[in-house]
Amino acid sequence: SFGARGTLLAGAGASIHRFALGTDGARGCGASGARRVASAAVFEAQGVRVHGVRDLRDGETCAVWGERRVRVMRLRDGDGDDGDGDGDGWTAETPFAPFAAWVHDVRGIADDDGARGRAMAIGFSDNAVELWRRDAEGDGWTRAERVECESRCLLYTLALSASETWAGMTVAAGTIFNDVQLWCVRDGAVRVKCVGHEGSLMRVRFGEDGDVVYSSSDDRTARVWDVPENAMDSNTCVSVRPSAVLAGHVARVWDCVRIDGERPVYATAGEDCTVRVWDANNARGTETLEQGVTRRPQCELAVLRGHRGRGIWRVCKLKAFNGDVVLASAGADGSVKIWNMSDWTSASAGQKDSMALHESVTPCPDGKLTSDDAADSTDIEMHEEPAESASSKKRKKKSKRRKSLFGPNDEYIRAVRIARYGVIYVATNCGILYRVTISSKGAAWVWERVCESASPLMSMSVERTDDSDVVAVSDLEGIIKIAHISCHTGSCTNMISFRASETRVLMDVFLKNGYVFASIVGGVIKCWRRDEVEQCVFTLRNPYKHRILALDYSEELQIVAVGDQKGNLCVFDANTKADDLVVLAKKWSAHEKASSINACEIHPGPVFMTGGRDSNACCWSVSGDGELVLDTKWTAPSKASVLFLSATANGDFSRAAGFRETDFVAYSVSDQRQMIRIPCHAQNVPHDVFMGDGDRIIFVHRYKTSLHISMRWSEQDVVEDKSGALWSHGREIHTIRFVPPPGGAENAPLGVVSGAEDGTIMRLLYDATRRDGARVYSPSDICKHPGGRTVKSLSIYKENDHSYVLCAGGAKEVLLAFRLTWSRDKMGAWDFKSAALVIPKPEDKPGTRAWTKGCGYVEPRAESDQRIMDVATYARDGEMRVLYSTSLGAVTVVAMSEINRSWRMISSLKHHSCPALAVDVLERSRVWACSGGTDGGIAVWLLDDAEVAAPVCVIERAHQSGVNALCISHTSDENVFIIVSGGDDQTLRVQEFRVDDASASPSRLAEFKFSHSSAMRSVWSDGSRIISTSVDQRVKIWDIASLDARLEIVPREGVVTQTPEPEAIDVHRARDGALTLAVAGRGFELYDIKT
């Protein structure tokens, strides 16, 4: 937290970033209104990553530290916390000289005159603290004092108390002995030892008053320690046990913080990528790991998910502009997420001006309802008669049947639908339709009977208008009733009843755009106008004969889309006078593993959105040959089903909801976070979801004989989402590519696509003309690799000025293709959309390993270890060709068959007997290619569509080991090209080739030994210069000098990238010659190179 309310500082790589939360005053901050307003490189020149940042003086000055370095940053006048700065508001002071030990914490303290910002304490990993004072001139710092703890040991973590004076400061040291030692700066004596952790300490921090210490450990727990009163003033050392043990994470815990409120809570962050919220009162009194595990169900209030990758490293509480306390979390995925903690701490839950999660239970009215005493899991005991043998005994066995809560004459809820905030409709098996409304004070729910039917009600649908709710219910006899209920009075103004089918075959009823649809056994749908039910408008029949669970109708486009219980999707033409509609397009098993489609929507285009129990939300379009084509697919985290969808005005996924195991979960797709998670066991009972703007959501389900209602709702306006994410996959990025802006477009952004270890292909936009902090924007997923496996390589093929094809290769030798199309939105801003062209299913090949399960032999597992290592694209006779290499040494050329959505074999290039790591292509009058393997050899190929081809030239042992990077480039001479290569031997190599018709022979050679201090990963060249990167986290630029009889590689300049373990680079050249460089590894970074 930095300075005034609503301002947050975050360190990523060697830079710090300043975020401002929204000023709208809404209680639910979420990610809404959070934006990055400024960034500053702190340790870029030193190649040091930021480990911590601390406000020194009321938002004017902050101290930033990393490894052995500290630097003070000042906010320039005019760039305050209102978020209006231009991104260049930081003034960096001269960094401190490197210390001998790592810096763990920094605190600003008052000097002798009581002024802040002129003195600070620095804590080190050698269990020492130093006092530094600002010079009289104000442009430097001088060490005034150093105090070492009497216990000399190495520390994993250290925290300084928030003391106003140097003499009153207390140090909490997390030692290598798994204990926390508290000692005084005035004499260095240890006064308190906190004993109990069973693993290394990851983080310690003081409470606000300094009388409580929070620790996080490798033993998967966070612990709270109460400092005994006057213990720091005594002359003896005391040992204390924890006052609370928070045990629930499944990996190491990185941070812990307390958030006060009507119900105080703890928030912990762990390497399992979760933030967990704990009831502080219930957790108190747990002193051991066993007690913490036992009391976990009573203590753990929520598990917040949304981050991806290798863990969440820090949490921080801060105040929003309206005074609410929110929680910020950040981790390996490079994103900052803001959580509204009033869900668990606020007493204002349920009020209309609150975004706190309010849960209530309302019982059905008195009637023939059964009692609520029995537990859901109660089993019936069945007895067997004893056998005739006298020695046999009476045995008992438990039936797998669960005891029902309801008798044959009991009334229970069959369907529930939410019409709007505070209005719910309930249908029961006794034929009664209820209207359930919230009281004016929001404290209770009121039940009113709307209508009754002689037969049990089976299904229900609700459609809203400005003045009324239209409710359609169907019963067991095949009768549909449509009721118009006034929003103002709650009375039924009109009732229509008609027979839709025979008895016991009517399954579901849908209301869509003024029409009523009846789903009948066998996949039949009948349609009537809502106000004219005398005559059926049309009938459609599912060609797959399965029950239809989801339906949408567009009167403007005159099409109907349906999804069935086996995952099949069909689109029908409703612009016909025929009684039976004709199928326009269909897709068998549109969702994987015959998973049911539970949500279906039609958007302009037309675009069809579906959600299913296979965890996928998909976008489909109809091709010219009448086939449904998958455009995009979003996969819910942790295999949660997708039963409800919400889209933006542009037709993009915005939110999705469903069930993960037995919990209801809702996700924000745009900023990749979990909005809400509610334990409920409601996946097999009547339930419904209503999603408003922003984070507003209502979830209702039947709980035994009652309704359980969970609401997060506010009547205030919700601001537009502005993500506070720095954006990253959260796993290693193996490949990155630029999507050039549309030809001739002014001020159009660059597109960036990347593929990572987690199998996702992500996209974003980059605009160098925007203010700092907003240049990278609009991140989203394009697709996930089938099976969620690694994406190793990407290549971009230009179709025209506005359309490109993205080819992606990865695990299991799967090659994907997507069309990327630039277009303008309604505001005139450029963006590109993706449409899937080829997504083949992985084909496993028999492996070589066999193992046993218990006793006996098991056949070798059919698991293919082969993967595509690199991909390059080129054009031949106006058709796209794709060249790729594999881990088995195969180099292959294929062409795409867009009609069949598959690949067609063109050529097999035979040479490599080891993994082929890299390929590249050069298009001239002839197409030349090169490939490199793990044996250090480089092969040169002429691509002429021969079915089997041999290399025209081979350079054996070009490198001492694997060739990790290749780039083939033209020169000023049409008869000459060069191949630039880099490998594990750290050598940068330029080989010139002279072309003679269909042959190419090597000529001049240039090598630069030990060009990097670690293995080279990627190179780029335009024939006159080279850009290279390596594991040593350096990006270097080289010139290629032609000196008559020889070539020479001349070092030009370099930079230390903030991206750890850089693996891939790409370069885009603008029309004016300016270069933009992307570097990717564990994260990514963009550079504008001045030429």
Side-chain angles (χ1 to χ4, degrees):
S1 181
F2 182 66
R5 289 177 176 177
T7 305
L8 176 74
L9 290 184
S15 299
I16 58 171
H17 308 271
R18 183 160 60 94
F19 293 88
L21 299 187
T23 58
D24 60 309
R27 290 186 63 92
C29 292
S32 300
R35 62 192 183 98
R36 188 152 51 109
V37 297
S39 298
V42 183
F43 302 122
E44 184 174 6
Q46 297 81 17
V48 173
R49 280 181 275 179
V50 173
H51 289 171
V53 58
R54 179 83 69 186
D55 183 8
L56 295 181
R57 188 177 67 178
D58 301 328
E60 298 179 6
T61 308
C62 68
V64 185
W65 68 90
E67 298 184 10
R68 295 177 172 86
R69 293 184 178 270
V70 174
R71 194 168 194 176
V72 176
M73 309 288 291
R74 287 181 290 176
L75 196 65
R76 287 204 302 263
D77 292 340
D79 292 293
D81 291 321
D82 55 5
D84 296 330
D86 60 1
D88 296 323
W90 294 102
T91 299
E93 297 184 5
T94 303
F96 287 48
F99 295 101
W102 279 45
V103 178
H104 279 324
D105 198 5
V106 176
R107 281 278 185 183
I109 57 178
D111 61 11
D112 297 336
D113 299 330
R116 294 187 60 84
R118 301 190 59 84
M120 63 180 172
I122 305 176
F124 298 97
S125 60
D126 59 356
N127 213 2
V129 179
E130 295 180 356
L131 172 64
W132 287 73
R133 298 186 187 276
R134 188 182 290 275
D135 296 340
E137 295 78 9
D139 57 355
W141 293 79
T142 304
R143 188 176 75 176
E145 190 174 349
R146 174 181 171 90
V147 179
E148 297 180 351
C149 178
E150 63 180 10
S151 174
R152 304 300 295 152
C153 65
L154 184 67
L155 305 182
Y156 287 142
T157 179
L158 174 145
L160 303 175
S161 64
S163 173
E164 290 291 330
T165 63
W166 168 255
M169 181 165 288
T170 303
V171 181
T175 72
I176 60 174
F177 306 114
N178 302 339
D179 62 4
V180 181
Q181 297 180 359
L182 305 185
W183 57 277
C184 299
V185 167
R186 61 178 179 268
D187 57 8
V190 177
R191 297 288 191 267
V192 177
K193 285 188 177 182
C194 305
V195 182
H197 275 296
E198 300 174 12
S200 301
L201 289 157
M202 299 291 104
R203 172 107 163 140
V204 294
R205 68 159 75 214
F206 279 98
E208 294 181 356
D209 298 329
D211 55 354
V212 178
V213 175
Y214 309 106
S215 61
S216 310
S217 172
D218 197 24
D219 63 5
R220 305 181 184 182
T221 68
R223 306 193 185 212
V224 183
W225 314 83
D226 290 335
V227 180
E229 188 176 359
N230 300 324
M232 304 309 296
D233 297 327
S234 66
N235 295 322
T236 60
C237 178
V238 297
S239 294
V240 298
R241 300 291 295 173
S243 59
V245 177
L246 311 176
H249 286 274
V250 296
R252 65 178 55 165
V253 184
W254 279 103
D255 206 356
C256 175
V257 67
R258 177 186 170 100
I259 301 170
D260 291 316
E262 284 86 359
R263 176 174 64 178
V265 299
Y266 300 119
T268 57
E271 204 165 276
D272 56 1
C273 248
T274 65
V275 174
R276 297 178 186 254
V277 183
W278 310 82
D279 188 317
N281 295 328
N282 287 341
R284 191 165 187 82
T286 54
E287 295 185 358
T288 64
L289 176 62
E290 182 180 1
Q291 292 175 349
V293 172
T294 302
R295 204 180 293 184
R296 175 187 172 188
Q298 292 78 37
C299 299
E300 190 177 81
L301 301 177
V303 180
L304 309 180
R305 290 178 170 86
H307 287 275
R308 61 173 80 192
R310 294 182 177 271
I312 304 173
W313 294 335
R314 289 293 180 266
V315 288
C316 171
K317 64 177 180 179
L318 68 157
K319 284 192 176 182
F321 279 95
N322 65 342
D324 281 347
V325 177
V326 297
L327 183 75
S329 62
D333 60 356
S335 69
V336 178
K337 299 188 184 296
I338 311 296
W339 308 93
N340 178 16
M341 300 307 292
S342 60
D343 286 359
W344 303 280
T345 63
S346 176
S348 61
Q351 298 179 4
K352 291 187 177 182
D353 61 345
S354 170
M355 281 294 288
L357 181 65
H358 171 56
E359 300 192 38
S360 59
V361 178
T362 174
C364 294
D366 294 337
K368 296 180 291 183
L369 293 177
T370 185
S371 64
D372 203 17
D373 298 332
D376 282 352
S377 59
T378 304
D379 293 323
I380 301 173
E381 287 193 353
M382 302 180 65
H383 299 276
E384 289 186 350
E385 293 296 332
E388 293 181 0
S389 173
S391 62
S392 63
K393 297 182 179 179
K394 184 177 182 180
R395 294 179 299 170
K396 295 182 180 180
K397 67 176 181 179
K398 290 189 175 182
S399 169
K400 294 183 179 180
R401 293 180 300 159
R402 301 173 68 184
K403 183 176 180 180
S404 174
L405 288 171
F406 310 105
N409 298 319
D410 292 330
E411 181 180 13
Y412 55 90
I413 298 171
R414 290 297 300 264
V416 58
R417 292 292 180 268
I418 306 171
R420 60 188 79 229
Y421 171 77
V423 180
I424 302 171
Y425 292 91
V426 176
T428 73
N429 67 311
C430 291
I432 303 175
L433 174 64
Y434 292 96
R435 183 174 186 261
V436 186
T437 57
I438 195 169
S439 63
S440 58
K441 295 183 179 181
W445 293 85
V446 180
W447 292 65
E448 301 173 321
R449 288 196 181 194
V450 176
C451 64
E452 295 188 29
S453 176
S455 300
L457 299 181
M458 304 299 294
S459 65
M460 175 171 50
S461 182
V462 175
E463 191 171 26
R464 294 176 298 163
T465 66
D466 293 338
D467 300 324
S468 64
D469 297 328
V470 182
V471 183
V473 292
S474 63
D475 64 20
L476 193 63
E477 297 297 324
I479 304 297
I480 293 179
K481 291 185 177 182
I482 304 175
H484 295 255
I485 303 170
S486 171
C487 295
H488 307 292
T489 64
S491 59
C492 182
T493 59
N494 187 26
M495 177 73 73
I496 302 174
S497 179
F498 67 98
R499 175 171 289 278
S501 71
E502 300 297 327
T503 304
R504 294 181 179 272
V505 297
L506 180 57
M507 306 300 295
D508 295 292
V509 61
F510 305 95
L511 286 174
K512 299 290 180 180
N513 301 322
Y515 290 79
V516 57
F517 297 84
S519 175
I520 302 173
V521 171
V524 178
I525 293 286
K526 290 185 177 181
C527 174
W528 296 264
R529 288 185 176 85
R530 194 176 64 197
D531 299 325
E532 300 177 12
V533 297
E534 293 81 9
Q535 183 177 0
C536 178
V537 178
F538 58 77
T539 302
L540 63 87
R541 304 178 188 277
N542 184 1
Y544 302 106
K545 308 295 184 182
H546 296 298
R547 175 184 174 182
I548 293 173
L549 299 180
L551 177 147
D552 198 11
Y553 171 62
S554 173
E555 188 173 15
E556 178 183 359
L557 300 174
Q558 287 293 297
I559 53 177
V560 182
V562 298
D564 66 27
Q565 63 184 4
K566 294 297 183 180
N568 307 309
L569 177 64
C570 299
V571 179
F572 295 84
D573 182 9
N575 189 20
T576 177
K577 296 182 179 179
D579 292 338
D580 285 2
L581 298 189
V582 178
V583 177
L584 280 177
K586 61 182 179 180
K587 183 70 175 180
W588 176 78
S589 192
H591 283 254
E592 301 171 1
K593 300 178 182 179
S595 301
S596 62
I597 296 178
N598 294 83
C600 182
E601 295 183 2
I602 302 174
H603 293 272
V607 174
F608 308 96
M609 291 186 177
T610 58
R613 290 188 178 273
D614 61 347
S615 307
N616 293 325
C618 303
C619 275
W620 308 83
S621 60
V622 180
S623 63
D625 56 356
E627 183 182 356
L628 278 170
V629 178
L630 177 64
D631 292 337
T632 58
K633 179 171 67 174
W634 176 81
T635 303
S638 304
K639 298 297 182 182
S641 60
V642 179
L643 307 182
F644 306 92
L645 290 173
S646 177
T648 65
N650 295 329
D652 298 325
F653 289 123
S654 61
R655 285 157 299 162
F659 290 94
R660 180 182 177 219
E661 298 173 348
T662 60
D663 297 348
F664 171 79
V665 289
Y667 298 97
S668 174
V669 178
S670 57
D671 52 6
Q672 300 290 336
R673 63 187 174 89
Q674 179 179 290
M675 296 165 49
I676 194 172
R677 180 170 181 172
I678 302 172
C680 57
H681 296 267
Q683 62 271 31
N684 295 320
V685 300
H687 59 267
D688 195 26
V689 176
F690 183 73
M691 291 187 281
D693 297 331
D695 283 1
R696 296 191 290 194
I697 189 169
I698 302 174
F699 173 64
V700 58
H701 68 279
R702 187 185 78 192
Y703 177 71
K704 299 182 179 178
T705 61
S706 306
L707 274 186
H708 194 291
I709 304 159
S710 304
M711 294 194 303
R712 175 186 285 162
W713 202 266
S714 172
E715 293 298 305
Q716 298 183 7
D717 293 334
V718 178
V719 299
E720 179 185 0
D721 282 353
K722 296 178 181 177
S723 177
L726 304 182
W727 187 81
S728 173
H729 290 265
R731 295 296 304 275
E732 302 91 331
I733 300 177
H734 293 301
T735 176
I736 192 165
R737 287 290 181 266
F738 284 112
V739 182
E746 296 293 336
N747 300 321
L750 268 174
V752 182
V753 292
S754 59
E757 181 70 22
D758 62 355
T760 55
I761 302 173
M762 296 186 72
R763 52 70 44 107
L764 55 79
L765 299 178
Y766 172 70
D767 187 350
T769 64
R770 293 164 66 112
R771 63 175 176 80
D772 188 15
R775 294 172 185 168
V776 174
Y777 61 101
S778 188
S780 63
D781 289 358
I782 291 180
C783 185
K784 197 170 184 71
H785 187 282
R789 304 301 179 90
T790 303
V791 176
K792 286 292 293 182
S793 181
L794 300 174
S795 183
I796 299 290
Y797 173 80
K798 181 178 180 180
E799 292 185 310
N800 54 57
D801 286 345
H802 289 73
S803 178
Y804 296 84
V805 175
L806 169 67
C807 295
K812 294 194 175 183
E813 204 177 351
V814 172
L815 185 62
L816 314 174
F818 305 86
R819 178 168 284 115
L820 310 178
T821 306
W822 285 100
S823 61
R824 290 181 181 269
D825 60 17
K826 296 179 181 179
M827 303 299 294
W830 285 100
D831 197 355
F832 67 88
K833 301 288 186 181
S834 62
L837 297 177
V838 181
I839 303 183
K841 293 184 177 180
E843 295 183 5
D844 285 326
K845 301 175 182 179
T848 58
R849 294 169 296 174
W851 59 91
T852 60
K853 294 181 180 179
C855 299
Y857 172 76
V858 178
E859 290 294 327
R861 183 180 181 183
E863 179 79 16
S864 175
D865 295 328
Q866 184 171 355
R867 62 173 55 185
I868 293 176
M869 303 302 296
D870 203 3
V871 176
T873 55
Y874 65 97
R876 185 175 181 86
D877 300 328
E879 184 182 39
M880 182 184 72
R881 297 282 196 269
V882 182
L883 171 70
Y884 68 88
S885 63
T886 72
S887 58
L888 297 184
V891 182
T892 309
V893 178
V894 296
M896 182 178 67
S897 174
E898 191 169 345
I899 296 177
N900 298 324
R901 307 290 169 179
S902 61
W903 299 103
R904 184 178 78 255
M905 172 67 77
I906 300 296
S907 299
S908 177
L909 312 184
K910 302 288 187 179
H911 169 70
H912 294 284
S913 58
C914 60
L917 301 179
V919 295
D920 199 18
V921 172
L922 174 64
E923 295 183 68
R924 280 186 166 182
S925 56
R926 293 177 180 272
V927 180
W928 297 92
C930 59
S931 60
T934 57
D935 59 357
I938 297 176
V940 182
W941 312 83
L942 175 62
L943 304 182
D944 56 1
D945 283 2
E947 184 175 347
V948 178
V952 298
C953 180
V954 176
I955 303 176
E956 301 287 354
R957 307 296 296 175
H959 291 268
Q960 296 178 15
S961 55
V963 181
N964 297 326
L966 280 176
C967 181
I968 182 170
S969 179
H970 60 80
T971 64
S972 56
D973 188 343
E974 282 293 325
N975 296 318
V976 175
F977 64 82
I978 62 171
I979 295 178
V980 181
S981 61
D984 290 335
D985 59 0
Q986 306 166 28
T987 298
L988 180 62
R989 192 178 195 277
V990 178
Q991 177 70 65
E992 186 180 77
F993 286 84
R994 187 161 294 277
V995 177
D996 182 11
D997 192 21
S999 64
S1001 58
S1003 55
R1004 296 182 294 177
L1005 170 66
E1007 290 185 333
F1008 198 105
K1009 301 291 187 181
F1010 303 107
S1011 58
H1012 288 264
S1013 58
S1014 296
M1016 296 180 64
R1017 289 302 187 193
S1018 187
V1019 296
W1020 173 90
S1021 177
D1022 60 0
S1024 62
R1025 65 191 139 187
I1026 302 169
I1027 301 178
S1028 64
T1029 189
S1030 165
V1031 179
D1032 63 4
Q1033 215 164 320
R1034 265 65 175 173
V1035 177
K1036 297 185 179 182
I1037 301 178
W1038 316 77
D1039 285 333
I1040 303 175
S1042 179
L1043 305 173
D1044 295 331
R1046 63 188 178 89
L1047 290 177
E1048 186 174 341
I1049 302 173
V1050 181
R1052 182 175 170 187
E1053 56 185 320
V1055 66
V1056 178
T1057 177
Q1058 298 181 29
T1059 303
E1061 300 179 22
E1063 187 168 344
I1065 62 173
D1066 195 25
V1067 177
H1068 173 261
R1069 185 196 300 273
R1071 290 193 297 269
D1072 59 2
L1075 299 181
T1076 303
L1077 169 67
V1079 183
R1082 292 186 182 271
F1084 84 106
E1085 191 172 17
L1086 295 169
Y1087 296 90
D1088 291 317
I1089 301 177
K1090 298 178 181 180
T1091 59

